[in-house]
Amino acid sequence: MLVHLAVRNLGLLDQAELVPAEGFTVITGETGAGKTLLLGALRLLLGENADSSVVGPNGDIATAEGVFLEAEELPISRIVPREGRSRAYRDGVIVSAASLRDELGSKVQIVGQHDQLDLKKSQYVIGLLDRNLDEAGLRNVVDYQERWARLVLLLEEQSKLGGSRIELARELDLARYQDQEISRAGFEEGEDLGLEQAAMRLRNLEEIQEHMGNSDRLLAGLVDDTGELVSFLRKVAALDPSLQATADAAESLSIATSELGREVANRISDLELDPESSTDIEQRLNLLGDLKMKYGKTLEEVIAYGAGAGQRVAELASLLDRASSIDSEVEEAHSDLASLAARLSASRKETAGQLSSRIEAHLSDVGLGGAAVRFEFSGREPGSSGADRVEFLFASHDQLRPGPIAKVASGGELSRLILAISLASGTEAKQTLVFDEVDAGVGGATALAVGQKLSDLADGQQLLCVTHLPQVAAFADKHYVIRRDGGEAVLELVEDRARVEEISRMMAGLPESDRGQDAAAELLEMSRK
C-alpha cells in the first residue's frame, strides 16, 4: 500500500505531497493543471523509464519519493537530472530501476486507456484468463509449466548429443584404445628409475667388471694385511693395556675389509651378462619412451593420463547410452505436453465463458447493457504458456459482431470496458490500483455508476483515480485537487466546504455558486449512502 508520495520540481509541481487513503482517493483539477504528474511520479517509483523533460524550472533535478507499507515501511526515491542518468534508491541505498520494477510491480498496478494495447496481445489475455482459473485450472497451469521445463531440458540435452553422436563414438574408441594401451604396459610408479639404472649397468658392464676385478684383488691383499696388523697390535696390547683400543680398532678394520671383500666377490658373480634380460630392459624402456611421447613427460604423467582415459571411457559410454534413449523420452514428453495443453486450454475456455459473463454484467451496470465480450481461441505450437492463442473481442451490442477493441470501441466504451475487466478479473489482487482517467467519454447516470463501481473496487484494497467526473470524485474517501496558477501547479487536499466547491466547479464550472454547491452537496450526500 502507498502511504506517502512527494515530488519536487516535477514539471509545474514545485513541491507536492500526497497521503492517499487506504480505500478510494481521487485527484481532480482543470484540464492541463498537471493531474497526471503525480501518476508520472508514481511510475518513476515503479522503475519506469525517466525522461529529463519532467524536470521543472526550479532546479536541475526532479525528485519523486514514496513510502510503501507491507510488514514494514519501504522508502523509495528516484532522482531525475536535467542531464545524465536517473538514480533510484531503496531505503537510502542506490539500486537499479529494474529492481524497483521487480519489487513493486506486484504491489501496484496502473490502469489507463493505453491498456487497450495490452488487450491486443495474446499473452496478456492469456494471463488475464489464468488469473481467474479455479483450483483445478491452476493445477493444470503448474503441471504444464513443469512438463514444459522438463521438455526444454530434454531438447537441450538432445541438441548437445544429437549432432555429435558420431564424434562421441570416435572419442570413445580413442579413449578406450589409450586406456588399454597404458594398462597393458603395466608400469608402476618408480619403475622407470629401476629400468634406467639397469640399462646403464648393462651398457657399461665390461668396464664395471674390470674395475670390480681390480677391486677384488686389492681387497684380497688388504684382508691379509689387516689380519697381520691385528696380530701385531694384540701382542702390543698384551704388553701395554692402554693400547687395547687401538688393537680393537684394527680388528674392526679387518672385519670390515673382509665383509667388503665378500660383497665385491658376490657382486662380480652377479655381473654376468643375461642377453634375454638385457633385451627385456631395452624393450621396456622403448615402450616407456613411446608412451611418454603420447601421454606425458614422466611415468607419473603417463599413469595419470591412463586413469583419466579410463574415466573418460565410462563417461562417453554413459553419454552414448543416453543418446540412444533420449529420442524416445523427447517424443514421450511432447505427447504428455500436448495432453496437458489440451487440458489447460479446456480450463481456459471454461474460465473465458465465466469471465465474459462477469465483464458483461459490469458493463451493463455502467450503461452498456447488451455489450458483448468474447475470448476467441486458436491453436499454435506449444510454448511456455500452453498451445493457445487468444484474442479479446468486444461489441457494444450483442447484435453486432465482436471485433478487436482498437477498431470497435469508442473512448467512453473503452474506459468502461477497462473498468469492467478490472472489476471482473480482480486486477491480479494488487494492493494498490491506480486508474488514469479511465472515465473519459463518460457522463450522466453512467458516470454515477462508474463512481459506484470504483468505490466497490476500493473495498478491501487501495485505489487512486485521476478523474474529471464529479460523479466519480464524490465517491472518494479522500480528495486532492491540483490547481494551476500561471506557471506553477499546487496540490491541495480538499475537505468539507472546499470539497463541495471543487465538486461544484467540476459540475458547472461555478465553484462559488450557491445552486452549484447545493447540487455538489447533494451528490456527496448521495454517494455516502
Side-chain angles (χ1 to χ4, degrees), residues 244-255:
Q244 183 61 47
T246 303
D248 292 342
E251 188 169 358
S252 296
L253 175 62
S254 176
I255 294 171

Side-chain angles (χ1 to χ4, degrees), residues 25-161:
T25 301
V26 293
I27 304 168
T28 65
E30 294 282 3
T31 300
K35 296 187 294 297
T36 58
L37 283 174
L38 288 173
L39 298 194
L42 186 55
R43 291 181 188 275
L44 287 174
L45 297 180
L46 297 181
E48 294 192 14
N49 292 335
D51 189 334
S52 61
S53 64
V54 302
V55 180
N58 300 312
D60 293 326
I61 63 171
T63 303
E65 298 176 333
V67 178
F68 296 85
L69 177 64
E70 285 190 300
E72 58 185 20
E73 288 190 348
L74 173 64
I76 301 291
S77 61
R78 192 87 179 270
I79 296 176
V80 183
R82 199 177 300 280
E83 295 182 1
R85 297 173 61 87
S86 68
R87 300 186 300 279
Y89 296 86
R90 181 193 185 279
D91 202 8
V93 178
I94 193 165
V95 295
S96 67
S99 69
L100 296 184
R101 285 194 295 272
D102 293 340
E103 183 166 11
L104 298 177
S106 61
K107 299 177 176 64
V108 181
Q109 181 182 8
I110 298 178
V111 181
Q113 292 195 39
H114 67 276
D115 281 9
Q116 62 168 298
L117 300 177
D118 289 331
L119 284 170
K120 291 169 62 177
K121 302 173 185 175
S122 175
Q123 205 60 34
Y124 179 87
V125 178
I126 287 173
L128 182 64
L129 291 173
D130 287 354
R131 290 197 301 272
N132 289 274
L133 291 171
D134 59 16
E135 185 176 349
L138 290 174
R139 280 200 303 272
N140 288 337
V141 172
V142 172
D143 290 345
Y144 181 90
Q145 290 175 342
E146 290 177 350
R147 200 61 57 89
W148 170 258
R150 168 65 176 160
L151 176 61
V152 169
L153 292 176
L154 285 172
L155 290 173
E156 289 176 354
E157 189 177 1
Q158 185 186 48
S159 177
K160 291 177 182 178
L161 294 172

Side-chain angles (χ1 to χ4, degrees), residues 287-319:
L287 177 58
L288 179 57
D290 290 341
L291 294 177
K292 285 181 177 181
M293 289 179 64
K294 295 178 182 179
Y295 307 119
K297 295 180 180 180
T298 65
L299 175 58
E300 287 72 18
E301 290 181 3
V302 171
I303 292 173
Y305 192 99
Q311 293 177 353
R312 187 61 179 155
V313 167
E315 292 171 359
L316 291 168
S318 176
L319 284 173

Side-chain angles (χ1 to χ4, degrees), residues 12-24:
L12 299 179
L13 284 170
D14 182 26
Q15 292 192 37
E17 292 191 23
L18 175 73
V19 181
E22 292 185 10
F24 187 14

Side-chain angles (χ1 to χ4, degrees), residues 278-440:
S278 177
T279 301
D280 289 344
I281 291 171
E282 291 298 334
Q283 287 178 344
R284 290 289 284 172
L285 284 172
N286 289 337
L287 177 58
L288 179 57
D290 290 341
L291 294 177
K292 285 181 177 181
M293 289 179 64
K294 295 178 182 179
Y295 307 119
K297 295 180 180 180
T298 65
L299 175 58
E300 287 72 18
E301 290 181 3
V302 171
I303 292 173
Y305 192 99
Q311 293 177 353
R312 187 61 179 155
V313 167
E315 292 171 359
L316 291 168
S318 176
L319 284 173
L320 281 171
D321 288 343
R322 181 71 179 130
S324 64
S325 65
I326 195 168
D327 289 343
S328 60
E329 289 188 33
V330 168
E331 184 177 352
E332 182 180 354
H334 273 299
S335 176
D336 290 345
L337 197 69
S339 176
L340 287 171
R343 283 165 47 190
L344 178 56
S345 182
S347 295
R348 285 171 173 164
K349 288 175 180 177
E350 181 179 357
T351 297
Q354 298 168 353
L355 184 58
S356 296
S357 298
R358 295 202 301 270
I359 293 172
E360 288 170 357
H362 286 296
L363 287 172
S364 179
D365 291 342
V366 293
L368 283 177
V373 297
R374 297 288 183 272
F375 292 88
E376 188 170 276
F377 284 75
S378 59
R380 65 176 181 86
E381 285 296 315
S384 60
S385 60
D388 295 315
R389 182 178 285 106
V390 188
E391 186 177 10
F392 183 83
L393 304 178
F394 170 77
S396 59
H397 196 277
D398 55 15
Q399 298 299 313
L400 300 175
R401 183 182 181 87
I405 60 172
K407 296 181 179 180
V408 301
S410 66
E413 291 168 344
L414 179 60
S415 301
R416 287 174 281 177
L417 177 59
I418 293 170
L419 176 58
I421 291 172
S422 299
L423 286 161
S425 66
T427 63
E428 297 184 75
K430 303 278 183 171
Q431 289 189 337
T432 298
L433 181 61
V434 183
F435 281 102
D436 187 4
E437 294 193 351
V438 296
D439 51 17

Side-chain angles (χ1 to χ4, degrees), residues 197-245:
Q197 291 175 347
M200 181 177 290
R201 183 170 62 250
L202 289 172
R203 294 188 193 107
N204 299 286
L205 184 61
E206 291 183 2
E207 188 174 353
I208 293 172
Q209 287 175 331
E210 179 183 352
H211 293 319
M212 290 292 283
N214 292 333
S215 299
D216 184 53
R217 286 191 296 275
L218 286 173
L219 283 168
L222 285 173
V223 168
D224 292 340
D225 291 341
T226 55
E228 190 175 352
L229 175 63
V230 168
S231 177
F232 287 141
L233 289 176
R234 281 176 179 169
K235 292 176 181 178
V236 170
L239 298 173
D240 184 358
S242 67
L243 293 173
Q244 183 61 47

